[in-house]
Amino acid sequence: MAFDYRDDKRSIRSKEQLKEALFELLYEKEWRQITIQHLTKKAKLNRSTFYQHYENKYDLLVQNVEALFQALKETVLSTSIDNSSADTISYGYLLAFYRHLKEQSYYFKVILNRGYELDIMELFSDIVQEAMGQVVDVQQAIDGVPAEIHWRYSIAAHFSVASWWLQNDFPYSPEFMAEAVLKLTKEGKHHALL
């Protein structure tokens, strides 16, 4: 058993080293320029160690990006709010969301900077829809606008605001962002600045 335990600790450490190498390299260069050799050299690991954990660099990327979004989703959805109003629940989700983004900002900034290469919108969309689905009926049309259009609009707005906040190094607190986004969602969902 001790052998398995050490092996497991070593495996976890190797995966963490590869994750850090991945994000450092994504910060420095474009995805298509990164090779397995770059990753293993940066992680100070052998190629054989890399291939014990991942099939290729895409597998490394997908697993790590999905893990970041899964952790974000779990943080948001595990927010404990006792039988409260929809506004209180929404605020709790938004606050958890912005706090988590701030705590993990290094990774999310790198992902955003490479977003066009990584296609992260679907992962983000999944989080927003599931969290908001806890509060409102996501299948219901609003003022004759089909639910799918409403959700795509809402997801794009949330993504844009969160991206701006991260890329500008948090000009407002997570608490302020949660309040502001909730207010815009509540009061401005039928109004657009055109």
Side-chain angles (χ1 to χ4, degrees), residues 94-111:
L94 287 165
L95 182 58
F97 173 78
Y98 281 100
R99 283 181 174 165
H100 188 86
L101 278 185
K102 189 170 185 179
E103 289 169 8
Q104 299 294 316
S105 63
Y106 170 73
Y107 301 110
F108 283 104
K109 282 181 180 182
V110 170
I111 290 170

Side-chain angles (χ1 to χ4, degrees), residues 173-191:
S173 70
E175 293 77 11
F176 180 87
M177 292 302 295
E179 288 175 26
V181 170
L182 181 60
K183 185 175 183 179
L184 288 171
T185 302
K186 267 182 58 178
E187 297 173 10
K189 68 181 172 187
H190 302 296
H191 306 288

Side-chain angles (χ1 to χ4, degrees), residues 166-180:
L166 275 171
Q167 291 172 334
N168 286 282
D169 294 321
F170 330 108
Y172 302 102
S173 70
E175 293 77 11
F176 180 87
M177 292 302 295
E179 288 175 26

Side-chain angles (χ1 to χ4, degrees), residues 5-22:
Y5 178 71
R6 273 196 321 260
D7 234 14
D8 190 48
K9 281 177 72 172
R10 190 176 304 131
S11 175
I12 290 167
R13 188 174 54 240
S14 295
K15 284 183 159 187
E16 187 61 30
Q17 287 171 271
L18 287 165
K19 173 188 170 185
E20 293 305 317
L22 170 68

Side-chain angles (χ1 to χ4, degrees), residues 14 17-26 29 31 33-47 50-51 54 56-61 64:
S14 295
Q17 287 171 271
L18 287 165
K19 173 188 170 185
E20 293 305 317
L22 170 68
F23 281 94
E24 286 176 27
L25 288 167
L26 280 171
K29 35 176 105 190
W31 170 244
Q33 296 174 325
I34 298 171
T35 65
I36 302 292
Q37 183 176 355
H38 291 130
L39 289 160
T40 55
K41 184 177 180 182
K42 181 75 85 173
K44 297 180 178 146
L45 296 170
N46 295 322
R47 285 178 74 92
F50 178 91
Y51 287 112
Y54 304 103
N56 52 42
K57 72 177 193 172
Y58 298 97
D59 188 29
L60 169 69
L61 177 72
N64 279 283

Side-chain angles (χ1 to χ4, degrees), residues 67-86:
L68 281 170
F69 278 91
Q70 184 62 36
L72 175 60
K73 184 177 179 178
E74 288 170 7
T75 297
V76 170
L77 296 177
S78 69
T79 301
S80 175
I81 303 162
D82 299 325
N83 300 329
S84 299
S85 69

Side-chain angles (χ1 to χ4, degrees), residues 73-140:
K73 184 177 179 178
E74 288 170 7
T75 297
V76 170
L77 296 177
S78 69
T79 301
S80 175
I81 303 162
D82 299 325
N83 300 329
S84 299
S85 69
D87 285 354
T88 303
I89 294 169
S90 295
Y91 175 79
Y93 285 157
L94 287 165
L95 182 58
F97 173 78
Y98 281 100
R99 283 181 174 165
H100 188 86
L101 278 185
K102 189 170 185 179
E103 289 169 8
Q104 299 294 316
S105 63
Y106 170 73
Y107 301 110
F108 283 104
K109 282 181 180 182
V110 170
I111 290 170
L112 283 172
N113 287 337
R114 299 289 180 216
Y116 65 94
E117 299 172 50
L118 306 180
D119 193 25
I120 59 173
M121 193 56 123
E122 282 307 310
L123 293 167
F124 183 80
S125 172
D126 184 42
I127 294 168
V128 173
Q129 256 189 304
E130 193 163 335
M132 290 303 156
Q134 306 277 329
V135 181
V136 296
D137 181 1
V138 296
Q139 301 303 318
Q140 180 181 354

